[in-house]
Amino acid sequence: VARLRNWRHSASRISTDDPTLRAAVDRAVDDLGALRIFDPAHTDRTVVAAGAPWFMTLFGRDSLLTSWMSLLVDHDLALGVLQELADTQGEREDPRSDEQPGKILHEVRFDRLSARLLGGHGRYYGSIDATPLFVMLAAELTRWVGADDRIRSLLPAVDRAIEWIDRFGDRDGDGFIEYLRGDPAGLEHQGWKDSWDGIRHADGAVAAPPIALCEAQGYVYGALLARADLARSFGESAETRRTFLERADHFKAHFNDAFWSDRRGAYIVGLDAEKRPIESNASNIGHLLWTGIVPEARRRAVADLLVAPSMFSGWGLRTLASDAAGYNPLSYHCGSVWPHDTAIAVAGLAAACLDDAASVLAGGLLDASTHSGGRLPELFAGFARDDVGAPVPYPASCSPQAWSAAAPLLLVRAMLGLQPDAVAGRLLLRPRLAPGIDRLHVTGLPIGDATVDIRVEGADATVDVVGGSLDVNVR
């Protein structure tokens, strides 16, 4: 109880005139506080569990994304997650657990049944995306806190992660990372849609691994940019930074050549085992905008697809379009709505200045939260809002679930257009409040050595900086 009280007291405070957003944010802070877990070997280290009651343990992808989404209210979660994942980073090749040198784990399990299902070990590494996300989060945390020595100590782990991308992630030398489980007991699909049928072709057939997922490539692009940013932040040579920037530029061009379909005017979900394009319309493409790998000329096409009636249920973004073969509104990953997935798409749309589409998705997600006391569930069914008067719950989903709990915080950041750079002493704001929200305040927000209070009232924004120096730019 004392820990939860201290968490609430230390978190940045978000207030608004909109009761729906206020309830969602308050619930987010409480749920994230309850999902924190503590390493007895490192009493100052806090991480976030994936969800209750089924996943009260450290997950690589889930914890990385959750702590990223939560940076608006807390920085310790991100640091603790990075430290814990660095300590458990892969050291050897073990096909049973999918461990490889430099790889970031998928999950930690201690019970015998789960260990047997996940390669026979307490640590399972079957994730294609946790490793580049680890690099991305290290750079993002630095933008909030500055060139902290605790992050500097993580740079060897960051470089091992980059080495894994180059050596093991790209299995066949085509320039893209793809997954293939090392043991039949492991996960067949190893992106965030990791159910057995989570990745489908346009005709409904389940795609066969090894699969190069589009969003995983976006994370690789983000990781290369992140490594360049870390070189700048920690005083490495200009040549090191330039090398990673050039790699990122080359990778972006290579990706857009291979993953864009001129015939459809859209990105493919991925490449299957035979390098055939997986052409179903799915929510994976929303993550591409978030990473910045989409060139400006293609951003509107992505936005239009995300808010089309087949993709947007009225409550959120369907994992698979309703007009796709294989769509099932009650499927775990082939038609359901996951709040974190929608929130990441909103963040990407806002970053691309596609405010109309961002507001549509954000508004639907916030409306959905009113049907569950402000708490966004892990997922809900993909039935259309016009057909069903409330989001249909998904059986046996976690409540609370970490990245769903953090989703409202990412929506707030997207509305603020908040981009900190503590190393350079800069703060960029581009406030665009969703319809129906006239006031949004964030107070006690730490950025580097400064504490920031942000007040957005309609079209006006004011920023007060205390205890440090920041060059604030409001657009």
Side-chain angles (χ1 to χ4, degrees):
V1 174
R3 280 176 169 172
L4 189 57
R5 187 185 307 115
N6 290 337
W7 157 264
R8 292 194 191 106
H9 179 73
S10 63
S12 306
R13 291 165 294 285
I14 302 170
S15 61
T16 177
D17 65 325
D18 181 69
T20 298
L21 179 58
R22 182 169 62 247
V25 166
D26 289 348
R27 173 64 76 173
V29 173
D30 285 348
D31 284 348
L32 287 168
L35 287 170
R36 292 175 306 151
I37 51 179
F38 303 87
D39 184 347
H42 301 276
T43 56
D44 60 339
R45 185 179 298 180
T46 308
V47 300
V48 60
W54 316 116
F55 302 116
M56 285 301 294
T57 185
L58 179 68
F59 273 64
R61 175 194 310 117
D62 299 52
S63 299
L64 288 161
L65 285 173
T66 299
S67 56
W68 179 304
M69 297 160 77
S70 304
L71 283 166
L72 194 65
V73 296
D74 179 85
H75 303 158
D76 290 341
L77 281 180
L79 180 62
V81 165
L82 288 168
Q83 291 171 328
E84 199 73 17
L85 292 175
D87 285 353
T88 55
Q89 192 172 24
E91 297 179 350
R92 61 196 177 100
E93 293 187 62
D94 185 349
R96 295 172 300 167
S97 64
D98 277 336
E99 181 180 359
Q100 293 167 331
K103 196 174 187 182
I104 297 299
L105 63 77
H106 172 60
E107 63 180 287
V108 177
R109 287 289 181 166
F110 301 106
D111 61 285
R112 292 182 180 178
L113 176 61
S114 295
R116 187 169 71 251
L117 292 173
L118 297 171
H121 298 277
R123 295 177 187 170
Y124 180 63
Y125 289 80
S127 164
I128 191 62
D129 45 16
T131 306
L133 285 169
F134 174 85
V135 181
M136 288 174 62
L137 181 61
E140 179 66 11
L141 181 60
T142 305
R143 295 180 195 113
W144 286 83
V145 304
D148 190 300
D149 284 341
R150 293 171 297 179
I151 304 175
R152 186 191 299 274
S153 70
L154 296 171
L155 291 182
V158 165
D159 286 334
R160 287 193 295 272
I162 294 287
E163 290 170 7
W164 176 85
I165 291 171
D166 296 338
R167 180 181 174 194
F168 295 100
D170 183 4
R171 305 176 61 90
D172 55 12
D174 67 346
F176 303 121
I177 62 171
E178 48 267 316
Y179 59 79
L180 180 68
R181 62 184 174 184
D183 187 281
L187 291 171
E188 183 173 7
H189 291 288
Q190 298 187 355
W192 85 260
K193 296 178 181 178
D194 56 7
S195 52
W196 71 271
D197 63 345
I199 306 298
R200 291 178 177 267
H201 282 282
D203 63 0
V206 178
I211 292 175
L213 289 173
C214 67
E215 73 271 23
Q217 315 315 316
Y219 302 153
V220 169
Y221 174 70
L224 294 172
L225 290 180
R227 187 61 186 88
D229 213 25
L230 288 167
R232 171 188 66 99
S233 297
F234 290 99
E236 297 181 77
S237 69
E239 179 62 27
T240 298
R241 182 170 186 267
R242 184 165 53 252
T243 295
F244 283 104
L245 289 176
E246 289 173 352
R247 285 189 59 184
D249 286 344
H250 174 77
F251 186 86
K252 182 176 183 177
H254 183 43
F255 169 82
N256 276 278
D257 285 344
F259 279 73
W260 177 260
S261 168
D262 285 323
R263 178 178 58 82
R264 295 173 57 241
Y267 285 99
I268 61 174
V269 171
L271 299 169
D272 72 1
E274 298 177 5
K275 299 302 178 184
R276 293 182 303 163
I278 303 168
E279 294 190 322
S280 51
N281 288 332
S283 65
N284 307 60
I285 62 172
H287 295 230
L288 299 179
L289 286 171
W290 181 59
T291 65
I293 200 170
V294 180
E296 186 173 358
R298 293 175 177 171
R299 293 171 187 168
R300 174 50 66 179
V302 175
D304 289 345
L305 181 57
L306 292 176
V307 298
S310 61
M311 288 297 300
F312 177 55
S313 73
W315 303 113
L317 188 60
R318 291 187 179 97
T319 43
L320 185 66
S322 61
D323 58 3
Y327 166 74
N328 179 348
L330 293 173
S331 166
Y332 199 54
H333 288 133
C334 296
S336 57
V337 174
W338 288 66
H340 88 280
D341 192 32
T342 301
I344 288 173
V346 170
L349 290 163
C353 302
L354 297 164
D355 303 314
D356 52 347
S359 291
V360 167
L361 293 184
L365 199 57
L366 289 173
D367 287 347
S369 73
T370 65
H371 294 271
S372 48
R375 172 184 288 166
L376 287 166
E378 178 183 8
L379 72 158
F380 47 86
F383 294 110
R385 183 172 181 169
D386 290 343
D387 297 334
V388 182
V392 176
Y394 188 88
S397 63
C398 287
S399 183
Q401 201 263 0
W403 56 17
S404 287
L409 304 178
L410 189 58
L411 296 183
V412 170
R413 180 176 175 182
M415 290 183 206
L416 294 173
L418 192 153
Q419 298 180 38
D421 187 345
V423 175
R426 292 193 299 262
L427 173 62
L428 173 63
L429 289 172
R430 186 181 169 274
R432 299 293 188 275
L433 301 185
I437 302 175
D438 296 318
R439 178 175 59 82
L440 182 58
H441 294 180
V442 180
T443 57
L445 178 65
I447 298 176
D449 295 332
T451 301
V452 178
D453 293 342
I454 301 169
R455 294 176 175 82
V456 180
E457 308 270 356
D460 298 323
T462 59
V463 180
D464 294 328
V465 179
V466 179
S469 177
L470 281 177
D471 178 16
V472 179
N473 185 355
V474 180
R475 297 180 181 174

